[in-house]
Amino acid sequence: MDEDVRNIVLGVLATGVSASLGWLGRTYLWRRSLRRKQAFFGLPGNSECLLVVNRESGGDRSVHRYDVFALLELSALIKDCGAQARILTHDQAHQGFGDRTEFCVGGPYSNRRMNAHLATLLPGVTVNVEVEPSSDRGMFRIGSERYLSEAGVSEYVILARLTAGEGGRPVFLFCGQRAITNQAATRYLARHHRSLARRYRAGSFVLLLKVINSQAYGPDVVELVADITQPARTAPAAEPAAT
C-alpha cells in the first residue's frame, strides 16, 4: 500500500513539474516573439504611435471605408504590442519623424503627409495625382519603370518601413492607387510581419505589391512584385541644362 501511495505521489509531482516546465517554455517563447514584434514595429510596451489617415478623394472630408478597415488592421497590431495609437488626419500631423512610430495611410493625392514622405524619404517614386480621369491616373513611376492601375483588376500599392530622424522609430507607408489597396497592404503586413522581420530585421525596406482582382476578391489576393528599396530611395539624376 505504501508503495502504491508513493508511486501516485511521484506521478503527481512529475506531472506538476512537466506542466510547470511546459508553461515556462511557452511563456518564454511568447515573450521572445513579442519582443521581436515590438522591435520590428518600433513599439515597446506602453509607447505611443501615430496613425495618419487621408481624406476620401472628392469626398466631404470623410475617411474612405477601406481606409477605416486599414486602420482597424493596424490597431490590432498596435494593441498586440501593448502600445497605444493616436489617430490624426493628414492635415493635422505637423511634426517630424523618428520620435514615434508612424503608420501613414493613403496616396499623395489625398494625403499631404504621404506626399511629404515620398518627396523626403522616397525620391525615386513619383505618383500621378491628376484628378481628371485618364489612363495614367494614379500611375507609379519607380526609377524608369511605370505601373498603371486597372481599377478592380490589377492595382499597385507601396508598402515601406523606413527609419529616419534622431529617435530611430520607423515610419510605415501604405501608398496605394486606390483605397482598397491601402487595406491590402496593411493586411499583407499583418500576415507577413514575421518573415519581413527575419529578412530585414530593423532595417528599411520598400516593397511593391500587386492587388489582384479586387472587385472579386477584395484586399485578400496580393502578390509581391519586387523589392524596390534601392530605386525608390535613389533620387533621379538631374537632367542636363538646355544649351
Side-chain angles (χ1 to χ4, degrees), residues 79-114:
K79 183 178 179 181
D80 287 345
C81 291
Q84 301 169 353
R86 181 184 177 198
I87 300 177
L88 296 175
T89 55
H90 69 103
D91 50 357
Q92 295 176 324
H94 302 296
Q95 53 195 289
F97 41 77
D99 290 334
R100 287 179 287 185
T101 294
E102 176 183 337
F103 301 88
C104 190
V105 178
Y109 35 84
S110 58
N111 188 325
R112 297 177 193 168
R113 182 83 170 174
M114 180 66 73

Side-chain angles (χ1 to χ4, degrees), residues 112-129:
R112 297 177 193 168
R113 182 83 170 174
M114 180 66 73
N115 190 40
H117 285 329
L118 292 181
T120 304
L121 303 174
L122 300 179
V125 175
T126 57
V127 181
N128 185 315
V129 295

Side-chain angles (χ1 to χ4, degrees), residues 55-167:
R55 299 288 195 183
E56 183 174 359
S57 180
D60 55 352
R61 295 183 62 80
S62 61
V63 179
H64 196 286
R65 64 190 182 99
Y66 287 119
D67 289 328
V68 174
F69 296 154
L71 294 180
L72 292 175
E73 302 261 7
L74 294 173
S75 296
L77 289 174
I78 294 165
K79 183 178 179 181
D80 287 345
C81 291
Q84 301 169 353
R86 181 184 177 198
I87 300 177
L88 296 175
T89 55
H90 69 103
D91 50 357
Q92 295 176 324
H94 302 296
Q95 53 195 289
F97 41 77
D99 290 334
R100 287 179 287 185
T101 294
E102 176 183 337
F103 301 88
C104 190
V105 178
Y109 35 84
S110 58
N111 188 325
R112 297 177 193 168
R113 182 83 170 174
M114 180 66 73
N115 190 40
H117 285 329
L118 292 181
T120 304
L121 303 174
L122 300 179
V125 175
T126 57
V127 181
N128 185 315
V129 295
E130 294 178 1
V131 177
E132 296 299 324
S134 69
S135 59
D136 290 344
R137 183 179 180 183
M139 179 191 71
F140 289 169
R141 183 185 294 275
I142 302 165
S144 60
E145 300 294 328
R146 300 163 71 247
Y147 299 91
L148 296 171
S149 168
E150 187 177 355
V153 178
S154 175
E155 299 146 311
Y156 296 92
V157 58
I158 293 171
L159 167 62
R161 180 192 190 276
L162 304 168
T163 52
E166 295 182 358

